[in-house]
Amino acid sequence: MNKINSFLLLKDGAEIAYKIDGKVGPPVALLFGLGGGYQFWNEVSAILSSNYRVISFDQRGIGSSSRGKFKTSLECLVDDFKQLIDHVFPDQPVNVIGHSTGGVIAQIFASRYPEKLSSLVLSGSWFKADHYMRYLFHLRRTLLNEAPSIYQSLSNILSYNPAVVCELFWENFETESSMSDCFRELMTNRIDALINYSGDGVVEKITLNTLVIGSRDDQVIPFYHQQKLYNALPYGHLTEIKEGGHFFPKIKAHDYASLVEGWVEDGEKSI
C-alpha cells in the first residue's frame, strides 16, 4: 500500500497531498471527516485496491497538506475535492465514498456535479445537525481550545466502541496532547462548518442512487441521522453495521469494504 507521494497545487496556493492505491479498475475517491486525514482509510483502501484505483488524501491544513489562504469551509473543501478529481481523473466518473463530514462534502459535490460520479456512498453522515450534535460539538469545540489533551481523549472514547478504546488507547489515555494555535483555529473552523450544514436544498438535487451506511453504536453521529438522511434522499438505500462506533470503516474494514464494493459494482454496471 502506498504512502502519500503526490501533491496538487490549488488555486489559493494550498498543496493537497494524496496517494493512489491500485493500478487497474474504476476510480474510487475516499473522503474522511473532521480529522481530514488519508490514514483513516488505510485498511479500506488496501482491500479496494485489488479491483479499483483508490485515491485518498489529506484535506487542506491536515497532515501533509498545507492550509493555503482560504478559510476552511465546506464550500472550500468541496472545491478542493473537485480540483483534485479534475486533476487525477479528468475524463472518467468517480465512485465517491464519504464518511462523516466527508459524507457532507460528498453530498454537496454530488448535488453540483452529478456527471462526475458513477456511484455514491455516505456513511456515518447526516442531513442536518440536531440538538444532540450541537451540544456534543460545542463541548468538543470548547475542549479543543481549552483542554486539547481531554479533547483528544474524548474523541477516542466517542469514535470507537468500548472494547477498542480499552485495547488501543488505555495506556496513553492521559498523554498530553500538543496543538498549535493555527491547528486549533483550523479545527474550530471545521467544527463550525459541519454544525452549520443543512441538507435542505442539497440532498434533493442528488439524482444518483445512494448507499447510506450507519452503525448502531455510533455516539458521534447516531444511527437515526443516517435514517433521516436516507429519508431525505430521492433515491437511496439504507444499511447498517451493528457495531464499530463512529469509526466503523476502520473497525469493520472488511464488512465496510464489502458493502462499498457491491454498491460500486452496481454503479459501474449502470453507466
Side-chain angles (χ1 to χ4, degrees):
M1 187 174 57
N2 297 327
K3 295 182 179 180
I4 288 287
N5 55 16
S6 301
F7 292 85
L8 174 65
L9 183 65
L10 301 182
K11 293 180 292 187
D12 72 325
E15 280 192 320
I16 295 297
Y18 68 94
K19 73 181 181 80
I20 298 177
D21 292 322
K23 296 181 179 180
V24 296
V28 171
L30 302 174
L31 281 158
F32 182 41
L34 180 61
Y38 84 96
Q39 292 177 325
F40 176 83
W41 292 112
N42 280 349
E43 294 86 355
V44 170
S45 184
I47 297 167
L48 295 178
S49 64
S50 297
N51 299 306
Y52 302 95
R53 289 170 293 154
V54 185
I55 185 170
S56 55
F57 64 101
D58 286 336
Q59 295 173 24
R60 67 165 58 224
I62 304 295
S64 298
S65 293
S66 61
R67 186 172 181 180
K69 298 177 182 178
F70 294 162
K71 180 181 178 180
T72 301
S73 65
L74 288 175
E75 290 292 325
C76 178
L77 296 174
V78 171
D79 188 62
D80 291 352
F81 183 57
K82 182 177 184 297
Q83 290 183 66
L84 181 62
I85 294 303
D86 287 346
H87 173 73
V88 179
F89 303 118
D91 303 315
Q92 191 172 5
V94 179
N95 300 283
V96 176
I97 319 299
H99 183 71
S100 196
T101 304
V104 169
I105 297 169
Q107 289 174 46
I108 300 171
F109 183 81
S111 73
R112 294 180 182 175
Y113 311 107
E115 73 283 358
K116 293 188 176 294
L117 289 87
S118 52
S119 70
L120 178 63
V121 177
L122 307 173
S123 63
S125 196
W126 68 95
F127 173 69
K128 186 187 299 184
D130 64 354
H131 291 309
Y132 174 84
M133 278 187 65
R134 291 184 180 280
Y135 180 80
L136 174 61
F137 281 93
H138 172 74
L139 175 61
R140 295 182 71 184
R141 189 182 191 276
T142 300
L143 291 174
L144 172 68
N145 289 284
E146 298 184 9
S149 61
I150 298 177
Y151 168 84
Q152 189 57 57
S153 295
L154 179 64
S155 296
N156 292 336
I157 290 172
L158 290 172
S159 298
Y160 295 91
N161 59 26
V164 174
V165 170
C166 292
E167 179 181 351
L168 296 182
F169 301 111
W170 181 250
E171 291 184 0
N172 299 316
F173 186 74
E174 296 182 355
T175 300
E176 286 295 322
S177 177
S178 177
M179 295 183 187
S180 68
D181 291 342
C182 182
F183 185 75
R184 284 199 296 270
E185 180 188 8
L186 172 72
M187 294 302 291
T188 298
N189 289 340
R190 291 175 69 89
I191 289 174
D192 290 344
L194 71 88
I195 282 299
N196 290 321
Y197 171 72
S198 171
D200 289 324
V202 176
V203 170
E204 61 261 36
K205 296 178 182 177
I206 300 176
T207 57
L208 199 64
N209 200 16
T210 303
L211 176 63
V212 179
I213 310 174
S215 175
R216 284 287 180 179
D217 63 351
D218 188 339
Q219 299 181 85
V220 180
I221 313 294
F223 184 70
Y224 66 81
H225 276 288
Q226 286 85 66
Q227 293 172 314
K228 290 181 178 180
L229 176 58
Y230 160 73
N231 288 331
L233 285 161
Y235 310 99
H237 177 77
L238 176 66
T239 191
E240 66 178 86
I241 292 178
K242 291 187 177 180
E243 59 182 19
H246 185 56
F247 283 177
F248 58 88
K250 286 181 67 68
I251 303 305
K252 298 287 187 177
H254 285 276
D255 293 344
Y256 184 86
S258 178
L259 288 171
V260 167
E261 193 158 12
W263 193 258
V264 167
E265 286 177 0
D266 289 344
E268 290 293 331
K269 290 175 185 177
S270 66
I271 295 176

